[in-house]
């Protein structure tokens, strides 16, 4: 695939907390840096990758010291994670929450730009054993930040999966499931008070895989399609991700939080899967992630919230070979374990891929004046190769 000819311009978005603001997300594009693997580059090498790709916003799922130290002085902005297994302790003991914030956040500021704490992941609707501890943990961590005078620097959030919703199509009909409302409502109320966004993990890949007979794969991949119409709002959707986000906005409005912003904290497409995961291919993964970058570069909102510029953390940085579950779970990475690109969406890896090598060799050949004579043959071969990549 040809490198996208679109320069990604970054804007600074401010999220209000009381009378101050948190600089929680710069621009529109971020990435999840998961590390359930034993063969991926070191955190120092990851910094090189991120800077080369001009990706500034990063989420991790813990607060690993080696990562936080490697990010020091880099200008990269990071959201650390509190694992689900820590929620009960953080909820029950404010002193433990204070110690956690001191050890994992304030100890690294300001050199490491920690901009958020993700409290748990996909707790409501998916991990019921932890759901009763989520709000208490959120409050204790926020109060610890506030006492340390860091609540104007570090934002507190939690990410939700599609499991919290009911009736997600058409988007305007979406509401929160009855079994999550009891915990969701007070959480939304607190986030509304402190100015935190609603964080959504949205995967058109999973939606398509669950219903391939009724969902057009082009609709899921941002490709030309008839799209879908919402009969209530009269809005038209030309891609599934926008529809998923607006369904979440509709659920928030139904719950009384129309003004709350949504940030997509995970989205991606697997490049390899099991026999029953036919959509998990390199071609589809490349198409989704390439078109997602183009979509974000437009700096626009969704049909329902056109003024809320979409902000997304793509999943994920690497293929993670130790993740459990189906093969697709281990193949969402934009980069291979050796640091080379998994497929070309405009980034460059630590090591050259075959596509990079061909393009570099052609540029070098041209620089030596070698286009005469056999130039037309080389151009034809290069064009054919790039057409194959862009399919």
């Amino acid at each position: 695939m040809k490198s996208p000819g679109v320069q990604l311009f970054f804007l600074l978005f401010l999220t209000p907390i009381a009378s101050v603001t948190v600089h929680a997300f710069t621009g529109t594009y971020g990435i999840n840096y998961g590390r359930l693997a034993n063969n991926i580059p070191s955190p120092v090498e990851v910094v090189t990758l991120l800077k080369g790709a001009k990706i500034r916003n990063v989420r991790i799922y813990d607060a690993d010291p080696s990562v936080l130290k490697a990010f020091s002085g880099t200008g990269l902005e990071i959201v650390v994670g509190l694992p689900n297994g820590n929620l009960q302790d953080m909820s029950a003991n404010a002193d433990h929450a204070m110690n956690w914030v001191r050890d994992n956040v304030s100890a690294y500021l300001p050199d490491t730009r920690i901009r958020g704490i993700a409290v748990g992941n996909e707790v409501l609707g998916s991990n019921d054993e932890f759901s009763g501890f989520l709000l208490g943990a959120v409050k204790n961590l926020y109060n610890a930040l506030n006492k340390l005078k860091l609540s104007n620097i570090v934002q507190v959030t939690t990410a939700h999966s599609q499991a919290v919703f009911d009736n997600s199509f058409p988007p305007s009909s979406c509401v929160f499931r009855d079994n999550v409302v009891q915990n969701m409502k007070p959480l939304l109320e607190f986030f509304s008070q402190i100015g935190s966004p609603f964080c959504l993990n949205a995967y058109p890949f999973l939606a398509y895989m669950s219903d391939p007979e009724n969902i057009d794969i082009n609709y899921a991949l941002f490709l030309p399609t008839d799209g879908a119409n919402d009969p209530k709002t009269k809005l038209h959707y030309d891609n599934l991700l926008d529809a998923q986000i607006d369904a979440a906005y509709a659920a928030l409005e139904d719950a009384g939080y129309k003004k709350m912003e949504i940030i997509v904290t995970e989205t991606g497409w697997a490049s390899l899967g099991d026999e029953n995961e036919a959509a998990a291919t390199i071609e589809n993964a490349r198409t989704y992630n390439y078109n997602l970058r183009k979509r974000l570069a437009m700096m626009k909102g969704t049909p329902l919230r056109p003024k809320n510029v979409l902000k997304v953390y793509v999943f994920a940085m690497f293929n993670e070979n130790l993740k459990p579950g189906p093969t697709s779970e281990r193949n969402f990475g934009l980069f291979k374990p050796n640091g080379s690109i998994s497929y070309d969406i405009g980034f460059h890896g630590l090591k050259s891929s075959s596509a990079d090598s061909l393009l570099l060799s052609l540029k070098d050949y041209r620089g030596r004046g070698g286009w005469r004579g056999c130039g037309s043959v080389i151009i034809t071969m290069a064009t054919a190769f790039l057409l194959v990549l862009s399919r």
Side-chain angles (χ1 to χ4, degrees), residues 41-55:
S42 69
V44 172
E45 292 175 306
V46 168
V47 167
T48 301
L49 268 176
L50 291 168
K51 285 191 165 185
K54 295 182 174 59
I55 299 174

Side-chain angles (χ1 to χ4, degrees), residues 93-159:
N93 196 312
D95 289 338
H96 289 186
M98 174 62 76
N99 291 337
W100 192 92
V101 170
R102 281 181 172 146
D103 293 343
N104 298 287
V105 179
S106 62
Y108 296 94
L109 293 170
D111 293 339
T112 299
R113 294 189 179 184
I114 298 173
R115 292 295 178 256
I117 302 174
V119 185
N121 187 50
E122 299 187 346
V123 176
L124 302 185
S126 302
N127 293 280
D128 292 336
E129 61 182 304
F130 304 114
S131 60
F133 309 125
L134 180 58
L135 179 59
V138 164
K139 286 184 174 181
N140 280 343
L141 289 167
Y142 175 79
N143 289 337
L145 290 169
N146 206 32
K147 288 178 181 178
L148 295 171
K149 303 187 185 304
L150 296 176
S151 59
N152 63 328
I153 299 172
V154 181
Q155 191 176 70
V156 177
T157 61
T158 189

Side-chain angles (χ1 to χ4, degrees), residues 208-268:
Y208 173 77
M209 289 287 292
S210 69
D211 194 11
E213 293 185 0
N214 294 306
I215 297 177
D216 181 359
I217 194 168
N218 290 336
Y219 183 59
L221 293 172
F222 302 97
L223 291 173
T225 176
D226 291 338
N229 296 309
D230 189 316
K232 180 179 178 180
T233 62
K234 309 302 182 185
L235 294 173
H236 177 76
Y237 291 88
D238 59 15
N239 70 83
L240 182 51
L241 181 63
D242 278 0
Q244 289 180 322
I245 296 167
D246 276 356
Y249 272 125
L252 286 171
E253 184 171 351
D254 178 75
Y257 299 94
K258 181 178 180 179
K259 294 183 179 180
M260 187 170 287
E261 180 189 21
I262 290 176
I263 291 179
V264 177
T265 37
E266 287 185 18
T267 191

Side-chain angles (χ1 to χ4, degrees), residues 361-371:
S361 63
L362 289 175
K363 289 177 181 178
D364 183 58
Y365 188 79
R366 179 177 58 184
R368 295 198 305 264
W371 287 111

Side-chain angles (χ1 to χ4, degrees), residues 10-322:
F10 296 105
L11 296 175
L12 187 64
F13 294 92
L14 307 178
T15 304
I17 293 184
S19 60
V20 295
T21 55
V22 174
H23 301 242
F25 196 111
T26 300
T28 61
Y29 194 92
I31 199 164
N32 287 278
Y33 171 24
R35 302 187 321 283
L36 289 179
N38 59 12
N39 58 354
I40 59 177
S42 69
V44 172
E45 292 175 306
V46 168
V47 167
T48 301
L49 268 176
L50 291 168
K51 285 191 165 185
K54 295 182 174 59
I55 299 174
R56 186 171 178 179
N57 306 288
V58 184
R59 293 177 80 244
I60 59 175
Y61 294 88
D62 54 19
D64 187 271
S66 66
V67 176
L68 298 180
K69 289 176 183 176
F71 277 48
S72 176
T74 63
L76 300 173
E77 304 194 337
I78 187 168
V79 174
V80 298
L82 179 81
N84 291 351
N86 294 80
L87 291 175
Q88 183 174 5
D89 182 40
M90 294 299 117
S91 177
N93 196 312
D95 289 338
H96 289 186
M98 174 62 76
N99 291 337
W100 192 92
V101 170
R102 281 181 172 146
D103 293 343
N104 298 287
V105 179
S106 62
Y108 296 94
L109 293 170
D111 293 339
T112 299
R113 294 189 179 184
I114 298 173
R115 292 295 178 256
I117 302 174
V119 185
N121 187 50
E122 299 187 346
V123 176
L124 302 185
S126 302
N127 293 280
D128 292 336
E129 61 182 304
F130 304 114
S131 60
F133 309 125
L134 180 58
L135 179 59
V138 164
K139 286 184 174 181
N140 280 343
L141 289 167
Y142 175 79
N143 289 337
L145 290 169
N146 206 32
K147 288 178 181 178
L148 295 171
K149 303 187 185 304
L150 296 176
S151 59
N152 63 328
I153 299 172
V154 181
Q155 191 176 70
V156 177
T157 61
T158 189
H160 304 283
S161 73
Q162 298 286 322
V164 301
F165 302 123
D166 207 2
N167 304 324
S168 58
F169 188 84
S172 61
S173 68
C174 188
V175 294
F176 289 110
R177 290 185 183 274
D178 290 339
N179 64 341
V180 305
V181 169
Q182 179 181 356
N183 292 303
M184 182 66 79
K185 280 287 189 74
L187 183 68
L188 293 176
E189 178 60 28
F190 185 68
F191 279 165
S192 177
Q193 293 170 7
I194 66 173
S196 289
F198 184 89
C199 292
L200 175 66
N201 295 345
Y203 286 91
F205 168 73
L206 296 178
Y208 173 77
M209 289 287 292
S210 69
D211 194 11
E213 293 185 0
N214 294 306
I215 297 177
D216 181 359
I217 194 168
N218 290 336
Y219 183 59
L221 293 172
F222 302 97
L223 291 173
T225 176
D226 291 338
N229 296 309
D230 189 316
K232 180 179 178 180
T233 62
K234 309 302 182 185
L235 294 173
H236 177 76
Y237 291 88
D238 59 15
N239 70 83
L240 182 51
L241 181 63
D242 278 0
Q244 289 180 322
I245 296 167
D246 276 356
Y249 272 125
L252 286 171
E253 184 171 351
D254 178 75
Y257 299 94
K258 181 178 180 179
K259 294 183 179 180
M260 187 170 287
E261 180 189 21
I262 290 176
I263 291 179
V264 177
T265 37
E266 287 185 18
T267 191
W269 198 286
S271 60
L272 182 67
D274 295 321
E275 289 185 5
N276 63 341
E277 298 178 304
T281 67
I282 289 178
E283 181 178 358
N284 287 342
R286 181 176 55 222
T287 299
Y288 182 82
N289 282 294
Y290 174 64
N291 288 336
L292 175 63
R293 286 193 77 200
K294 290 200 300 182
R295 163 70 177 84
L296 295 174
M298 295 176 184
M299 292 190 173
K300 67 177 185 178
T302 60
L304 188 63
R305 295 287 187 272
K307 294 182 179 179
N308 290 3
V309 175
L310 186 57
K311 307 166 192 176
V312 168
Y313 290 91
V314 69
F315 188 87
M317 188 95 189
F318 298 107
N319 292 333
E320 298 173 69
N321 67 335
L322 298 183

